[in-house]
Amino acid sequence: MEIIVTKSYTESCKRAAKMIVAVVNEKKNAKLGLATGSTAVAAYEELKRIYKNGDVDFSDVKTVNLDEYCGLSGEHEQSYRYFMNEKFFNHVNIDKANTFVANGLGNFEENAKELDKMVYDGGTIDLQLLGIGRNGHIAFNEPGESLISCAHVENLTQSTIDANSRFFSTIDEVPTKAITMGLGNIMSAKQIIVIASGAEKADAIKGLVNGNEITTQNPSTMLKMHSNVTLIVDEELAALVGV
Ligand code: F6R
């Protein structure tokens, strides 16, 4: 795993955006695996900036998102479809028909099957962007006795529900389930970039960078088995985890 240490969270996102642009400039119809969450926001900001400068063309790019909350429609302001449209898709020349975010309504199991199909549809994901949960989750694969390879419906842990509650007016509105890519889906990507920032991510990142242990109690440790992972952290977090 390559580890890049930057001056700040914004710098980390700039580095990630640069790597995404390199993939798209190399392959016009690249397939990108995308993440939502606070960490990804500045990466999309930077991608929008590069696009406005005329230095990248998304017209043939295909995307598939890691996850979506169960019970929220794509019009709901906290849904991940809404996030992607607002933070990225609406501002670049991507064809929305080429973007896939799992449907958060209807039959969740069927929607998860559709996500699983879309991960492989038309070829492998060229680059997967990841954030990381404070408990080490990637996508919404939560720590536990076992992990699941294919896309599935996941019960969110209390730690994740608490972390996500900052976006909802009451804790009762926070979805308790999500449709998520599984570990096999994520590991199938040719290249993976993880951005992490903030002291609350230190324990998870320690597990990822220190030693060789792979454990279902920290799903991000599975990434140690992938041959092309870049972890981008800022100096502050790097100091906390000792890299
Ligand atoms: C989002 C996702 C999650 C987030 C993680 C970190 O699509 O799959 O794994 O990356 O929960 O979220 P933030 O960036 O909000 O700390």
Side-chain angles (χ1 to χ4, degrees), residues 34-40 66-67 80 130-133 137-140 164 166-167 201:
L34 297 179
T36 58
S38 306
T39 313
L66 287 168
D67 38 27
Y80 287 164
L130 292 180
I132 189 166
H137 73 217
I138 47 175
F140 274 133
N164 294 345
R166 66 194 192 274
F167 300 112
K201 304 289 171 72

Side-chain angles (χ1 to χ4, degrees), residues 123-141:
T124 314
I125 292 172
D126 291 293
L127 185 150
Q128 176 67 58
L129 179 64
L130 292 180
I132 189 166
R134 49 179 89 172
N135 61 7
H137 73 217
I138 47 175
F140 274 133
N141 294 278

Side-chain angles (χ1 to χ4, degrees), residues 25-43:
N25 285 345
E26 172 86 29
K27 184 176 173 189
K28 215 175 164 293
N29 63 348
K31 182 170 177 182
L32 302 177
L34 297 179
T36 58
S38 306
T39 313
V41 172

Side-chain angles (χ1 to χ4, degrees), residues 220-239:
S220 76
T221 59
M222 298 290 148
L223 297 172
K224 292 178 189 180
M225 289 191 285
H226 195 284
S227 61
N228 191 352
V229 178
T230 307
L231 170 68
I232 311 180
V233 290
D234 47 65
E235 284 176 353
E236 221 179 301
L237 181 55

